Amino acid sequence: MIVKGEDTIREVAGLSQEERERISAFLQGAVYCWCKNRKEEWFSMLELMGGDNNDWTGTPLQMLHDKEIENGKSKEEAYDNAGKNSGWLLKKVIFDDKRRFETEETPINRRYRWLLD
């Protein structure tokens, strides 16, 4: 449950229900690990799956990039769009989580922090 901030959730087009579930489970695992190990720290898709961890090969997130390439996007456009779509999917995972999160928008993305009760 998000307790502060924008709660609009956008659907990511072009994914089957199975693909959506695989990506959500993968992201839920990443969120769970972050919350366990970095309890009061902010995170975003960039911290979870960007930077040094931006090669999504072999993960469910790769299908986001592949979908963009199949739709005729350049590699750069596919990379950018996959990043944006992964952020929307992460937001949905956070929104559906039983825990409470604070959220805020930064100049480059949206970030989250687990609210310990």
Side-chain angles (χ1 to χ4, degrees):
M1 164 200 281
I2 297 175
V3 297
K4 176 182 147 196
E6 178 65 43
D7 61 359
T8 299
I9 306 292
R10 290 189 188 165
E11 285 296 320
V12 175
L15 294 175
S16 69
Q17 184 62 30
E18 180 183 340
E19 290 169 331
R20 198 175 305 279
E21 288 171 5
R22 288 181 63 213
I23 291 170
S24 293
F26 182 76
L27 291 176
Q28 181 67 45
V31 168
Y32 203 88
C33 287
W34 183 278
C35 292
K36 177 193 172 292
N37 295 311
R38 303 179 85 160
K39 287 183 174 54
E40 296 185 31
E41 293 182 42
W42 288 96
F43 67 93
S44 69
M45 192 63 191
L46 183 60
E47 282 80 27
L48 296 178
M49 301 293 159
D52 291 340
N53 200 25
N54 72 352
D55 183 357
W56 295 351
T57 305
T59 74
L61 294 175
Q62 180 63 42
M63 61 189 82
L64 295 174
H65 182 269
D66 294 347
K67 165 181 85 78
E68 296 294 329
I69 294 293
E70 290 168 8
N71 288 331
K73 302 293 185 197
S74 69
K75 287 186 178 187
E76 186 176 299
E77 289 173 311
Y79 181 82
D80 289 343
N81 289 346
K84 290 174 188 173
N85 286 333
S86 69
W88 284 112
L89 293 167
L90 175 61
K91 189 174 183 181
K92 173 85 168 110
V93 165
I94 296 292
F95 188 79
D96 291 343
D97 196 293
K98 65 182 178 186
R99 296 168 291 184
R100 295 181 332 127
F101 292 84
E102 180 178 21
T103 183
E104 69 179 18
E105 205 164 336
T106 73
I108 59 169
N109 62 16
R110 177 169 294 281
R111 63 187 195 158
Y112 306 92
R113 181 170 53 188
W114 181 27
L115 293 175
L116 301 168
D117 292 327

